[in-house]
Amino acid sequence: MDEQLFFKKLNNLCTSEEIFDFLSSLEVMSDTMASGALQRISELEVDDSGVKNPGVLENEVFRALCLQFEFESSKLSSSGLLNALQALVTLQIDPQSTLMASLLSESEERLGKGQLTVENLCALGESLLELESPNCAMLEEIVNHMQEKDIEKWTPREIVMVYKILQVTARERKEYQNLLNRLNSVTLPAVSQLSPNFASVILNSLVVLCQTQTVALVTALCKHSAEHVPYFTDCELVNVLDAFLYFGHREQSFTEALETHVPKSILTMHPQTVCKVMQYCCKKVILSKPIFDAVAESFISNADRLTSDQIAGYIIPFGTLNYLPPSASSLFRKLETVLHTRLSHFQPHTLLNLLHSCVLIQRYPLNFLPKIFSPYFLQKLQAQPPGLNRVVTSQLTQLFLTVTLECPFYEGPKLHPKYQVKAFPTPHSSCDVHLLKRVKTGLLYLLKKRIYFASQVSTPYFYAVDIEIKLDEEGFVLPVAQCEEVHKRIALCVDGQNRFCANSHNLLGEEAIKQRHLQLLGYEVVQIPFFEIESLENCRKMAEYLHKKIFPHTYGLRN
């Protein structure tokens, strides 16, 4: 039969049985036709969970085809050989079988003799990568042969295959960097032609191969990915999100595409993909209400099917970004139910992170604090990395301070003083030095002398105050060094952009709890957010603004 007619008929067949009947009706066929039949069977019989009907592999026609490939491998065309190998790898035929050994041996021999075209090399590389323990020597030889070809003429498929091979063979080896530089250069103009799968694979390879210098390529791939968000598989989307996180790239169009895609698809998304989306939002401090609201609804419906790490991945970003969704009451009721049932399933540090995130948004896990403050649990924290480092002891201290200030009715165990820190670290929300300097200059203009305010003041309550002002009973400002007759302490919180969610006026959780606690500790908290003062043109305008904020009931400034 003519090959063109053969493939036309083959591609119209929808079951393996139809293919076997069709093949049985033929007296003779080329190796290209036979390998094409194997490929069509692999397309029909293999899905994400593996081979759907293993009985197909025992079919007489299938076995006859395999025998022919095994004993006549040296007579096959390179295309027939490598297409058959690809199909059999997809069908998960045992790599140690005599059939696979014969095909791999023949492929290796032709590779060594330089008899394979770029397309052949590509097919062989893809087959080897699918094997559990790929032959790295063969993969390296493929790359060496590929380097001899004209890289400018490579198709997107060939580019992607080389990236995938380098991922396996070149992680710690610098001799391939020149090839990578050429590959990165030739990929850049081809980005717009890449399918969602190819874009995802290349981004993943750039992460694994630590290609941090390829800024232009990463930027182009990230922009291109924004167009493909609805078409990525879960695995591909995770790779793309990992790349955004690794390279620190921010792309508004990508976030907007996620905001459209996630609420529509969350019921079918794998929980690990949802966790990665939330991690992306959390690390980029992106408070996306459409995403967070959809994740909250998904958690309420599916929490019982989530692992302990996935539960933490869903919930912790709500605390970090200081957001309560419309379904908050149902969300935290469900979380409490799950914790009651599966508390012992959580690793100590995961549980601490989870409960700490809850108190940031005023959801108090009182039923679980006796466990957290118990010596046994603290020993478990100490025994597992990162141990009781400063971040962990700060979380414990903040939990203790929260129940002391916000839940005075709590009568359970308290945190032993040896686990309490003296001051909270503020890695994410340290004071904006430039903004603080402007505010201090305005205060000096307002109060006339530097003795009337202090900056970066440590308090006995673990928090540092950006600027502190003391007043006596009549409302007069006292020198900051004076400790007697202090009737009121004012804490100025100079909140730069780093204390808010991205492009938002929503305070981050760690800053919100700090201001809440300072208030409960007796301070009058005055917030000085960046968006209120960035347009103030001079020192006098800043002083007038500060006067209205700090002393709203007294007369204005004198000229």
Side-chain angles (χ1 to χ4, degrees):
M1 181 182 285
D2 173 68
E3 281 195 5
Q4 194 171 357
L5 178 60
F6 172 85
F7 280 107
K8 185 177 180 182
K9 286 193 172 187
L10 180 68
N11 291 327
N12 285 329
L13 301 177
C14 298
T15 69
S16 295
E17 287 303 321
E18 289 177 354
I19 293 173
F20 294 140
D21 289 341
F22 174 51
L23 297 180
S24 299
S25 70
L26 302 175
E27 289 185 14
V28 66
M29 67 180 117
S30 68
D31 63 350
T32 309
M33 292 157 71
S35 62
L38 287 179
Q39 286 194 308
R40 181 62 180 151
I41 291 167
S42 71
E43 288 169 10
L44 295 172
E45 292 297 339
V46 179
D47 60 18
D48 291 340
S49 58
V51 181
K52 293 186 279 189
N53 177 18
V56 166
L57 308 182
E58 303 301 323
N59 180 279
E60 287 182 11
V61 177
F62 182 82
R63 289 167 70 88
L65 276 176
C66 290
L67 279 171
Q68 197 168 359
F69 278 108
E70 179 178 345
F71 292 111
E72 299 185 12
S73 59
S74 61
K75 299 176 183 176
L76 300 171
S77 68
S78 291
S79 294
L81 170 70
L82 296 167
N83 288 342
L85 179 62
Q86 252 187 326
L88 294 169
V89 167
T90 303
L91 286 163
Q92 300 174 12
I93 303 299
D94 182 3
Q96 306 303 319
S97 66
T98 54
L99 166 63
M100 294 297 281
S102 174
L103 296 180
L104 286 167
S105 174
E106 181 63 28
S107 301
E108 188 170 14
E109 189 175 330
R110 296 188 194 189
L111 175 65
K113 291 177 179 176
Q115 296 174 348
L116 302 182
T117 65
V118 171
E119 190 174 350
N120 295 155
L121 291 168
C122 193
L124 179 57
E126 287 170 347
S127 296
L128 291 173
L129 289 168
E130 287 298 314
L131 296 175
E132 274 188 26
S133 303
N135 183 326
C136 287
M138 281 180 74
L139 288 172
E140 287 180 9
E141 198 168 349
I142 289 171
V143 172
N144 292 335
H145 281 296
M146 290 291 287
Q147 289 190 78
E148 297 166 5
K149 312 292 182 184
D150 186 354
I151 194 171
E152 302 292 335
K153 295 180 181 175
W154 288 0
T155 65
R157 178 193 173 201
E158 289 153 4
I159 289 171
V160 166
M161 189 275 300
V162 175
Y163 271 118
K164 287 167 82 172
I165 292 179
L166 290 176
Q167 229 177 295
V168 175
T169 60
R171 291 186 192 206
E172 303 298 328
R173 299 172 55 180
K174 293 182 180 173
E175 66 258 39
Y176 285 119
Q177 189 55 54
N178 285 337
L179 172 59
L180 270 167
N181 291 341
R182 289 167 62 206
L183 195 56
N184 295 338
S185 296
V186 85
T187 304
L188 182 56
V191 165
S192 62
Q193 304 166 38
L194 298 176
S195 68
N197 173 259
F198 285 177
S200 168
V201 168
I202 294 174
L203 277 171
N204 182 240
S205 297
L206 295 176
V207 170
V208 173
L209 295 165
C210 306
Q211 297 295 291
T212 50
Q213 78 285 358
T214 58
V215 178
L217 177 57
V218 169
T219 302
L221 284 166
C222 288
K223 283 186 176 177
H224 184 63
S225 297
E227 302 167 20
H228 293 299
V229 166
Y231 311 109
F232 286 125
T233 65
D234 277 5
C235 184
E236 290 164 0
L237 183 56
V238 166
N239 283 343
V240 172
L241 290 165
D242 274 333
F244 269 90
L245 292 169
Y246 178 79
F247 292 110
H249 191 75
R250 186 185 294 277
E251 187 69 50
Q252 183 61 30
S253 60
F254 181 80
T255 302
E256 289 168 1
L258 276 182
E259 287 184 331
T260 303
H261 174 67
V262 173
K264 288 180 184 174
S265 309
I266 195 152
L267 294 177
T268 56
M269 286 175 81
H270 191 281
Q272 215 54 45
T273 310
V274 178
C275 288
K276 186 60 69 174
V277 170
M278 292 299 273
Q279 184 191 1
Y280 167 82
C281 290
C282 201
K283 294 283 186 185
K284 300 281 187 186
V285 292
I286 296 169
L287 177 54
S288 168
K289 293 182 181 180
I291 292 175
F292 277 56
D293 292 350
V295 170
E297 293 292 344
S298 173
F299 183 86
I300 294 164
S301 306
N302 301 312
D304 297 323
R305 296 193 286 275
L306 302 179
T307 66
S308 53
D309 284 344
Q310 288 166 355
I311 289 167
Y314 274 55
I315 299 297
I316 288 173
F318 285 92
T320 305
L321 302 191
N322 185 31
Y323 178 63
L324 286 172
S327 58
S329 57
S330 300
L331 175 67
F332 288 96
R333 192 160 54 243
K334 184 66 179 180
L335 176 61
E336 185 167 13
T337 303
V338 171
L339 287 174
H340 272 300
T341 310
R342 296 161 57 190
L343 194 66
S344 61
H345 296 184
F346 285 81
Q347 290 296 312
H349 287 282
T350 304
L351 182 60
L352 177 61
N353 288 334
L354 178 59
L355 298 185
H356 177 259
S357 72
C358 291
V359 300
L360 296 179
I361 42 179
Q362 296 176 276
R363 289 298 181 271
Y364 310 110
L366 299 181
N367 293 327
F368 309 105
L369 289 182
K371 177 183 175 73
I372 297 293
F373 294 149
S374 72
Y376 174 67
F377 184 81
L378 295 169
Q379 285 171 9
K380 286 174 73 177
L381 279 175
Q382 175 74 66
Q384 293 184 8
L388 287 170
N389 65 11
R390 189 132 186 262
V391 173
V392 174
T393 49
S394 295
Q395 288 179 319
L396 288 166
T397 305
Q398 202 159 41
L399 274 172
F400 165 69
L401 188 59
T402 297
V403 294
T404 304
L405 294 174
E406 301 185 55
C407 310
F409 47 85
Y410 172 74
E411 295 179 350
K414 303 291 171 69
L415 182 65
H416 192 283
K418 76 175 183 178
Y419 297 109
Q420 297 176 23
V421 295
K422 293 182 179 177
F424 290 130
T426 53
H428 301 300
S429 61
S430 53
C431 196
D432 181 323
V433 177
H434 175 68
L435 210 60
L436 183 66
K437 186 176 179 182
R438 287 188 63 206
V439 172
K440 283 160 68 175
T441 304
L443 273 177
L444 188 58
Y445 189 99
L446 176 66
L447 301 177
K448 308 305 180 192
K449 290 185 179 178
R450 185 67 179 78
I451 61 168
Y452 291 120
F453 62 93
S455 59
Q456 302 294 291
V457 180
S458 296
T459 71
Y461 314 110
F462 316 109
Y463 293 109
V465 173
D466 295 333
I467 295 175
E468 183 181 66
I469 297 172
K470 296 176 180 177
L471 304 181
D472 66 12
E473 196 168 357
E474 296 180 12
F476 289 105
V477 180
L478 299 171
V480 286
Q482 185 170 325
C483 297
E484 300 83 24
E485 300 178 2
V486 178
H487 180 69
K488 181 189 287 188
R489 293 173 187 266
I490 298 175
L492 266 61
C493 295
V494 183
D495 295 330
Q497 284 184 324
N498 60 325
R499 292 183 179 176
F500 294 87
C501 298
N503 305 316
S504 164
H505 295 172
N506 193 79
L507 274 178
L508 294 172
E510 62 184 21
E511 187 60 27
I513 195 173
K514 170 187 168 181
Q515 295 186 16
R516 202 164 70 236
H517 284 178
L518 287 174
Q519 205 159 3
L520 290 167
L521 288 164
Y523 283 90
E524 180 181 316
V525 175
V526 177
Q527 190 185 8
I528 311 293
F530 75 94
F531 49 84
E532 288 184 1
I533 61 176
E534 58 189 357
S535 62
L536 300 178
E537 297 164 1
N538 54 45
C539 188
R540 179 176 177 82
K541 286 189 182 301
M542 176 67 81
E544 288 173 349
Y545 165 84
L546 291 170
H547 186 275
K548 288 175 186 173
K549 289 285 284 194
I550 306 167
F551 310 110
H553 304 302
T554 59
Y555 293 110
L557 294 171
R558 292 180 182 175
N559 291 320

